[in-house]
């Protein structure tokens, strides 16, 4: 069973723009997001998640372990 993507938005990495479901190839997009505004923040959200993961000692071998 597949989830409906109608009314959802994607961020196109190729064109740096928000697109509806009928947009570029899925490999070139992030999403889906429930609103256009959330899709517009896609790269910001990626940066926030990457920073959190980079600083998480459970997922980063370069950080000292918790005692």
């Amino acid at each position: 069973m597949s989830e409906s993507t109608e009314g959802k938005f994607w961020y196109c990495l190729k064109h740096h723009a928000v697109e509806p479901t009928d947009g570029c190839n899925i490999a070139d997009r992030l999403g889906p997001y429930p609103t256009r505004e959330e899709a517009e923040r896609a790269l910001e959200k990626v940066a926030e998640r990457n920073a959190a993961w980079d600083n998480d000692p459970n997922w980063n071998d370069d950080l000292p372990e918790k005692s």
Side-chain angles (χ1 to χ4, degrees):
M1 181 165 91
S2 68
E3 182 182 332
S4 171
T5 56
E6 186 177 326
K8 295 189 179 176
F9 297 90
W10 306 78
Y11 184 81
C12 178
L13 296 167
K14 219 169 157 180
H15 301 108
H16 304 280
V18 174
E19 300 180 340
T21 298
D22 297 333
C24 289
N25 187 320
I26 192 72
D28 296 322
R29 302 190 296 173
L30 299 174
Y33 296 93
T35 66
R36 175 172 286 282
E37 291 75 22
E38 285 190 54
E40 288 171 347
R41 289 192 61 236
L43 294 181
E44 185 180 336
K45 290 178 96 169
V46 167
E48 289 170 0
R49 289 178 182 155
N50 285 346
W53 291 335
D54 287 346
N55 295 308
D56 184 341
N58 294 320
W59 298 101
N60 190 334
D61 294 337
D62 296 333
L63 294 176
E65 290 187 31
K66 294 179 183 177
S67 348

